[in-house]
Amino acid sequence: MTPLQALVTLPVLLPMLGAATSVVVSRRASAQRVIGVVTLTLVCVVAAVLLVAADANGPVVAELGGWSAPMGIVLVADRMSALLLLISTVVTLAVLVYAIDQRISDYGRETASTTFHPIFLLLSTGVSLAYLTGDLFTLFVAFEIMLASSYVLITRRTSASRIRSGMTYVIVSLTSSLLFLTAVGLVYAATGTVNLADLAGRMGALPEGLRAVLALVLIVVFGIKAAIVPLHFWLPDSYPNAPAPVTALFAGLLTKVGIYALLRTQTLVFPQDSPSTLLLVIAAVTMVVGALGAVAQDDLNRLLSFLLVSHIGFMVFGLALHTPDGIAGTGLYVVHHITVQATLFLVSGLITRRTGTVSISQMGGLAQRAPHLAVLFAIPAITLAGLPPTSGFVAKLALLQAGAGAGPAGALVAAVVVLASLLTLYAVARVWVRVFWGAPKEPLADDDPNDELVVGTARSARGMYVGASALVVVSVAIALFAGPLSGVTARAGVDLHDRTGYTDAVLGPGADPGSGGTISAGGRPGGVDGNATVRTAAGETPEVTP
């Protein structure tokens, strides 16, 4: 394994080791904070290196345990996975900075935690593994790491009513996990493999009806995790009840991992040469239902949750086109939305902390009392609405161009994109008018001082503003560097649509996806004589005889 290939394992290993170290030093709060920040900073650096390498030379593959694909577990960093890994880790780091200063402000500088910091890093481990894994079963493991971590984060130091809301999230997640494991078993029973590159060849040999059933099951599984309509019902009741850093992390990352899984499987395992009618309908309905739900809300966090659902539809739309331009548009929109949605939830936490309420109708005049907070809300709000020259405008323009070039069905859903964008603009404008304009109102008292949501303080710690401001800067940077970023996502769209580069990197140049191999009595992959061919990091194919 070359040094570059070894780097692919670090985004998974570093947070895992950081979590373990954080448990060891659980009595020293300052050490936990340093470990978390340093670990995520290193992962950001590694992700940036992997993105540059993948963009320049193609996917970087690490074969774990010395076993080559398709029998062994592989981690793959291609353009799309490395890009999403980088932006996700940047957001995770900013959220951690926000959370650290919030905890210092609420509990004191010397108060450590045996759960928050380790679980936070474990969640980052699961996200990294989901982006980098090259097989379905390891993807299932990654989701379970994320979900187990999120169960803890969403129910820490909270009230009975919020635990009841969190139970909806837990039950739905467990149900989707059971369905996912069932889907993995069905795929393996039908094809004899769970390696994604190998499935790219084997799935085509199955009867059309069986392929359709397997594709539909995985759409349902990842649709639940991504919160597409009508599988979104759990999200508006679960996310608003968690502390702001937790909600921001979930909104920015967890649903996008579901979109990434959908993107990877639908392009690599179930490719199509024409737009998917089912996904186009799902995308249109998700956009409209989410936007209308947001318009009807008085709870700020529920409004943002419904907007999150609506904009998941934008990402599904690009995928549904099954064209390089559509896939590139989805990738660009995911990058933009990860940053902006997390920022809005962090800013919502700052607003709630000052006002003591999440009710929009009970707020007012914040622009006079906290003009810096008004700016922090305004920039991501207009970015989410897609006003030029923001990153949201660039991403939506890419989707609209892809839709217009994909035939009448694509053009029709592109019109829905415009409608949903207008509804988003109306929703965030209503928040601006009611929360920031008008006569200032006195903050309300904290109705539950014992939970982790400290509100009604009329102030916030400086580090919380630093974390939110950092994400605003990132979203502005995405707009400023939209040209190079669009180039990366365009090349990633071609890669995902073509599939050859990915399968060649994982299985070897010129390999026949789906040829796989058998398992000998000795337990090694190989032919009837038990011999195995193993592709090394240098590309040699030495014969290994047990």
Side-chain angles (χ1 to χ4, degrees):
M1 183 179 292
T2 66
L4 183 60
Q5 290 171 321
L7 281 181
V8 183
T9 65
L10 292 185
V12 178
L13 292 178
L14 287 176
M16 190 181 299
L17 293 174
T21 307
S22 188
V23 172
V24 173
V25 298
S26 59
R27 294 181 180 273
R28 301 178 60 186
S30 58
Q32 286 187 320
R33 297 176 194 127
V34 170
I35 289 170
V37 171
V38 170
T39 298
L40 293 178
T41 301
L42 290 176
V43 175
C44 286
V45 173
V46 172
V49 173
L50 291 175
L51 176 58
V52 172
D55 191 38
N57 304 310
V60 183
V61 181
E63 297 174 342
L64 306 185
W67 289 79
S68 60
M71 302 310 302
I73 297 174
V74 294
L75 300 180
V76 186
D78 62 357
R79 290 185 176 100
M80 185 64 76
S81 61
L83 176 62
L84 297 186
L85 174 64
L86 175 59
I87 193 66
S88 295
T89 309
V90 169
V91 168
T92 306
L93 177 58
V95 172
L96 180 60
V97 171
Y98 180 105
I100 285 174
D101 226 46
Q102 177 179 296
R103 292 181 59 81
I104 290 175
S105 177
D106 293 344
Y107 307 122
R109 186 169 295 276
E110 300 304 321
T111 302
S113 172
T114 57
T115 56
F116 179 79
H117 288 281
I119 295 299
F120 194 95
L121 291 175
L122 275 181
L123 184 65
S124 177
T125 298
V127 171
S128 298
L129 183 59
Y131 285 138
L132 296 174
T133 183
D135 68 87
L136 274 180
F137 184 76
T138 307
L139 181 61
F140 167 77
V141 173
F143 273 113
E144 290 308 292
I145 294 173
M146 288 189 295
L147 294 177
S149 302
S150 63
Y151 299 155
V152 177
L153 292 176
I154 206 170
T155 55
R156 289 183 73 255
R157 295 176 60 90
T158 188
S159 63
S161 61
R162 293 188 178 114
I163 289 178
R164 283 194 294 270
S165 298
M167 286 303 296
T168 302
Y169 172 76
V170 172
I171 292 171
V172 171
S173 298
L174 288 175
T175 303
S176 67
S177 296
L178 180 61
L179 186 58
F180 191 6
L181 189 59
T182 302
V184 173
L186 292 174
V187 168
Y188 185 77
T191 63
T193 185
V194 291
N195 180 275
L196 293 172
D198 203 28
L199 284 172
R202 296 198 182 202
M203 195 60 68
L206 298 180
E208 183 177 351
L210 180 56
R211 288 202 311 272
V213 169
L214 293 176
L216 183 60
V217 171
L218 289 177
I219 287 175
V220 171
V221 169
F222 300 136
I224 293 174
K225 299 181 184 301
I228 62 175
V229 174
L231 306 172
H232 72 294
F233 60 90
W234 57 271
L235 191 148
D237 291 329
S238 303
Y239 281 14
N241 292 296
V246 175
T247 303
L249 195 64
F250 288 6
L253 270 61
L254 298 192
T255 52
K256 308 312 181 300
V257 173
I259 287 293
Y260 170 78
L262 196 61
L263 181 66
R264 181 65 72 183
T265 54
Q266 291 299 306
T267 56
L268 186 60
V269 183
F270 306 103
Q272 292 185 214
D273 295 325
S274 59
S276 167
T277 302
L278 173 62
L279 290 179
L280 284 174
V281 171
I282 289 174
V285 173
T286 300
M287 284 186 271
V288 174
V289 170
L292 291 176
V295 169
Q297 300 303 313
D298 183 62
D299 184 312
L300 178 57
N301 285 335
R302 284 182 63 85
L303 183 147
L304 293 177
S305 296
F306 273 103
L307 287 181
L308 168 60
V309 171
S310 177
H311 287 252
I312 291 296
F314 288 66
M315 306 169 208
V316 177
F317 169 53
L319 169 61
L321 298 176
H322 283 286
T323 62
D325 289 342
I327 296 169
T330 292
L332 187 59
Y333 204 89
V334 171
V335 170
H336 137 77
H337 197 262
I338 286 175
T339 305
V340 171
Q341 195 71 51
T343 307
L344 284 171
F345 274 109
L346 291 183
V347 174
S348 174
L350 292 171
I351 293 172
T352 304
R353 193 175 181 86
R354 292 190 66 93
T355 62
T357 180
V358 293
S359 175
I360 297 172
S361 60
Q362 296 184 43
M363 302 179 191
L366 274 184
Q368 297 181 36
R369 292 189 169 180
H372 48 299
L373 187 56
V375 173
L376 282 182
F377 177 83
I379 295 176
I382 63 175
T383 301
L384 185 68
L387 296 182
T390 63
S391 61
F393 172 76
V394 175
K396 287 178 184 176
L397 183 61
L399 289 175
L400 290 173
Q401 290 175 333
L412 179 61
V413 182
V416 179
V417 170
V418 176
L419 173 62
S421 298
L422 293 175
L423 290 172
T424 299
L425 180 59
Y426 172 76
V428 296
R430 186 167 64 92
V431 173
W432 175 263
V433 170
R434 295 190 177 184
V435 174
F436 293 97
W437 285 1
K441 296 182 180 180
E442 293 300 318
L444 302 179
D446 192 345
D447 60 351
D448 189 356
N450 295 320
D451 67 5
E452 194 155 332
L453 295 173
V454 177
V455 297
T457 63
R459 61 180 177 79
S460 296
R462 183 177 301 174
M464 298 172 68
Y465 282 97
V466 170
S469 300
L471 291 186
V472 171
V473 171
V474 172
S475 68
V476 172
I478 292 173
L480 292 176
F481 295 96
L485 182 59
S486 297
V488 174
T489 56
R491 292 188 290 274
V494 172
D495 291 344
L496 288 170
H497 188 263
D498 178 63
R499 304 189 302 161
T500 305
Y502 186 95
T503 56
D504 283 353
V506 174
L507 300 177
D512 178 20
S515 60
T518 60
I519 300 295
S520 68
R524 288 184 178 271
V528 293
D529 60 350
N531 292 341
T533 299
V534 180
R535 182 168 57 87
T536 66
E540 300 92 356
T541 54
E543 186 177 54
V544 180
T545 304

